[in-house]
Amino acid sequence: MSDSGDLGDFTDYVGDGDDDASAGDGGDDAGDDAPADEADPETEFERYGTEPAGADRGLGTVSVSQGLRVSQDGDETRLRAFITTGNRDSVRLGSYLLVPYPDDETLFCSIAALEYAQEFQSDDATEIHARRQMRREEFEERDYKFMAELEPVAVIYEEGGELKRRMTDRVPKPGALAREAADEEQIKTGLKIPGDGVFLGHLSVGGEKVRTAAEPPTVDYRVKDEYADGDPLVFRHTLVAGGTGSGKTHASKNVLRQYLAEDRTYPMDDGREVSPAVVQFDPQDEYAQMHDDNPGMSDEFARKLDREGIAHGGHDDTIALVPVEDGVSYGGENHRAEQVRFTIPFSVVNEYDMPWLVAGGGLNDNQYPALLTLLNRFFGDYGSDGTYQEFLSYLDNPGLKEELDESGRVHEATFDAVKRRVRGIPNGIFDQDARPITELDHELVRPGGLTVVPTYHLSTSRAKEMFVLAVSSLLVDDKLSNSPQSQRIKETPLVLGMDEAHNFLSDADNVQAQKVVQKFTEAAKQGRKERLGLFLITQDPQDIAEPVFKQVNTKVVLNLGDEDAISSVNIPSELAQKVPYMEKGQMVVYSPDNSEPVELIGLSECVTRHGE
């Protein structure tokens, strides 16, 4: 007896002899002499075409079979479209669709989910069905329904000859046509993307650029840069986050180059239109290359950039402002920018209120006031020309220690602790053989100029931190002060770029870190008023202090593999899920005051020199 579970080769099955004979007889009405392949004309049925007349328009139609509803609660919205067979392979998650209303308004939406559903009631989870499917060479699309779940974004309408958008407040009609958005103006209106501004990249879905019927066929994404549209978003700060190899330096150079375009200016309170200055702190000695053209850029690519109004080419007004550390040299062979050496005079500790700059380690709440007391006494005795070496000698005075202890102002144990901290900073930072940074404000900040402060050559991470914080704090203080040391800094729009920002603006429990974060938080809050924009670049956004981070309006997120890093940038979940899988140059932009959250692809080539 055979095993009932063994179906054998069921495709070879034929009926028994009687059935075959009966089928071959053809019944009483069949003519004996009629050829087997000819049918009787009198008994032949007329065939009708099953395809609708005319040509298809769009991808499919809105379906009401599982409900049709829009709601203020997004979870309650039910909006689905049936996608026809010929369009199914081209549909992608995140694609933008248009669904017209009976009047001239249109629903702009995106595809939030895709699914196959059964066309006929059947059980496809059986052995026979599975093995039949395994032996078929083609998949029959028409056997299944292909459904797209749509997420409403906005209603687009025309007013005064101009396209406008509003929140979704209408439900489309059942059977309404769903077609792919292919008009640049409709797409930009639906996503609230400005027509003009600073170029970031081209709109994409699933790593592929959105194509339109226009020329060029891509949709450019720009950030608002006119006071007529509200405050320029550069002064509401930008974060570029991406892991190693994600292309964040490439992308950052391309964006910063746009702020250096010849025609870019900002109005000042006195009525002048002034080009912004860019000061970029550079831990890998890469940004001074922006002085030079990209030797690999083709003429065709350059013409394409010109057509789209994207600034490109080396920026001649670029200076590498090189920090001088005793015993350390700077190469700078990988760029042709002018080099200007500088030192940090110890006087900035007093003039710019930076006592935390001379603390080599974490100071507690008792030690910090003691350091202030010692610095005030020192500068009171030596004046503003007092040097770091003189301060060290000043602390070696046993009479000073005894006096402060007896007066109850500084306990001797606290005095010794502060002295150890001060001696713990890297030697050879202050008062070196170069021009003081306080005398270089016209080189540091130049309208329309790029100043790069390289730190790659410095000996220790602490030395790098001291230079970056000293120069950036000097800039911030003069921008925010009502009586600045430098009018040039005060009166020039400034983009302050800081690569590896997590190393300088992190949360910490020591006093000096808290003072730094407090200073930059205030700078971020006052940026719109003072024309100061922070441009923070990092691979560890989760380490940037929250008071600073929450002031950032525009977040550009490239590939990140760390879950904590992804969650910290606080972008919509549907885009956050894509971040670990993005290729080099792909990015998510979340800028609530500029547009809906979108996916972009940056330029394939750097607009200036980049790399070797």
Side-chain angles (χ1 to χ4, degrees), residues 30-40:
D32 293 339
D33 298 327
D37 57 349
E38 291 185 11
D40 184 348

Side-chain angles (χ1 to χ4, degrees), residues 146-163:
F146 190 69
M147 307 300 296
E149 183 175 324
L150 309 183
E151 180 179 349
V153 177
V155 172
I156 301 174
Y157 63 99
E158 187 172 335
E159 184 176 277
E162 180 183 354
L163 280 184

Side-chain angles (χ1 to χ4, degrees), residues 516-526 534 545-551:
V516 171
V517 168
Q518 181 180 350
K519 180 186 294 287
F520 277 85
T521 301
E522 187 64 24
K525 290 180 178 179
Q526 297 295 325
L534 301 181
E546 184 178 356
V548 176
F549 191 93
K550 69 182 183 181
Q551 298 298 325

Side-chain angles (χ1 to χ4, degrees), residues 34 75 78 94 100 127 149 161-162 167 171 236 256 259 268 356 361 374 384 410 436 444 573:
D75 293 337
R78 295 290 181 271
E127 181 73 13
E149 183 175 324
E162 180 183 354
M167 66 174 290
V171 62
R236 298 187 64 184
L256 291 173
Y259 290 114
M268 303 301 290
W356 40 265
L374 291 169
S384 59
V410 179
L444 178 60
S573 59

